[in-house]
Amino acid sequence: MRFTSVLQPRSMTALTFGLTLVRHGETQYNKDGLLQGQAIDAALSKIGLQQAEAAGRYLNNVKFSNVFVSDMLRAKQTAETIMKHNSSCSGLQMACDPLLKEISFGIAEGGRIQDVREMAKAAGQSFPGFTPPGGETQEQVKERVKEFLEKMLQQIGAEHWRERGEDERTSLSAPPETSPVEGKADDGVRGVPVHALVVTHGAYMCVAVRYFVEELQCSFPPGSDRAHMFSLSPNTGLCRFILTMRKEDNGFKLSGIRCVFIHRGDHVKQ
């Protein structure tokens, strides 16, 4: 499965849509510095629920057309809270997808993150990037990211392509590369009618963003560098991307991606 990040000739029609990634709110395991992975399906803590409420209030006037969520409890609780605050989500179905699960950390799940760092150091590796025994490799997680992205493209294309007339699709295909980022909740998606909310997990988001940058040639937002792009998003941190897809005989193909902002957490501080 391969995507191209090179824009096709402008004579072809295209559909541009927004993608907002959100990390789930805090759990007690997060607070205690413990790894959850896939085996521990913890609920949000009191603070995590407050963070989800803050994210919901922050995004309350942002229009979404699709919602995709990890099938783990902490992600579902976060998504449900965001959707509760958002009128555009009132008629939407939350699509739970195991492809969005957190990375499996194998025998390290339930243990201290610091212990895994020490395991990685002893093995001459760094964390993240180190795979504990029984866990998923970065390559395996990247394959899940790619599979989800392909699945999402086909669903969004099937649902929304026919809703846009050809002139409108063409006009939406090339939003300004340097559209102003004003620190507002709808940065990058004002006037973009198709917008997917994806609620997932911190380590999974790290792999996804790295894949977007290194293999899909996603542009950096102003003021960001690789270290910031590849860092761990805070609980309920937001990352927004603008994607362009084109219709081909065998389905829909990604033809461009850029990052509007990365790891935004201002709503939690308010």
Side-chain angles (χ1 to χ4, degrees):
M1 185 185 306
R2 295 185 62 83
F3 301 107
T4 175
S5 62
V6 179
L7 290 176
Q8 300 297 317
R10 292 181 62 85
S11 59
M12 296 174 64
T13 57
L15 175 66
T16 290
F17 68 97
L19 169 63
T20 297
L21 297 179
V22 182
R23 185 186 177 195
H24 64 79
E26 182 200 79
T27 68
Q28 190 62 43
Y29 280 79
N30 291 143
K31 185 176 181 179
D32 294 341
L34 303 175
L35 284 171
Q36 295 164 100
Q38 297 180 3
I40 298 170
D41 200 13
L44 296 181
S45 64
K46 181 179 179 180
I47 290 175
L49 290 169
Q50 292 171 350
Q51 292 171 337
E53 289 284 342
R57 290 192 297 270
Y58 182 74
L59 295 168
N60 68 335
N61 289 319
V62 177
K63 293 183 179 180
F64 294 105
S65 59
N66 298 80
V67 180
F68 302 95
V69 185
S70 160
D71 62 355
M72 304 199 76
L73 179 59
R74 54 195 183 271
K76 290 191 289 185
Q77 286 183 301
T78 303
E80 287 166 355
T81 303
I82 292 172
M83 294 175 73
K84 176 186 70 176
H85 285 277
N86 193 300
S87 61
S88 73
C89 294
S90 60
L92 297 182
Q93 183 73 30
M94 183 174 73
C96 294
D97 197 325
L99 291 171
L100 293 168
K101 279 182 185 289
E102 179 59 295
I103 293 175
S104 170
F105 294 102
I107 65 168
E109 294 188 349
R112 297 189 311 156
I113 295 174
Q114 183 58 35
D115 292 339
V116 181
R117 293 185 189 279
E118 292 171 4
M119 289 171 62
K121 185 177 180 180
Q125 299 179 39
S126 60
F127 179 82
F130 171 72
T131 303
E136 282 184 293
T137 66
Q138 297 287 296
E139 191 64 29
Q140 287 173 324
V141 181
K142 185 176 74 174
E143 287 303 312
R144 283 203 281 125
V145 170
K146 292 168 67 175
E147 188 175 347
F148 171 74
L149 182 58
E150 173 70 7
K151 185 176 179 181
M152 180 182 66
L153 286 175
Q154 300 313 314
Q155 180 174 332
I156 286 179
E159 290 180 3
H160 300 288
W161 188 269
R162 291 187 180 88
E163 295 176 8
R164 315 261 81 81
E166 183 168 326
D167 291 342
E168 187 179 358
R169 285 200 300 265
T170 302
S171 68
L172 286 174
S173 67
E177 282 295 316
T178 56
S179 56
V181 177
E182 303 166 342
K184 296 182 179 180
D186 62 351
D187 282 341
V189 292
R190 287 187 287 275
V192 179
V194 183
H195 182 196
L197 171 67
V198 175
V199 182
T200 181
H201 305 264
Y204 182 94
M205 284 172 64
C206 286
V207 175
V209 171
R210 184 175 290 273
Y211 170 63
F212 292 172
V213 170
E214 293 185 343
E215 298 193 31
L216 302 184
Q217 287 77 55
C218 176
S219 62
F220 288 19
S224 292
D225 56 22
R226 293 176 71 87
H228 181 55
M229 287 287 285
F230 298 159
S231 63
L232 183 67
S233 197
N235 287 112
T236 65
L238 311 172
C239 302
R240 181 166 296 152
F241 302 86
I242 301 297
L243 289 77
T244 302
M245 71 164 73
R246 296 183 184 278
K247 193 173 190 301
E248 297 185 358
D249 292 341
N250 58 347
F252 300 91
K253 299 294 182 183
L254 183 70
S255 56
I257 180 170
R258 64 182 179 90
C259 183
V260 179
F261 57 74
I262 195 83
H263 309 320
R264 182 180 285 181
D266 297 345
H267 53 284
V268 178
K269 301 173 187 177
Q270 293 173 354

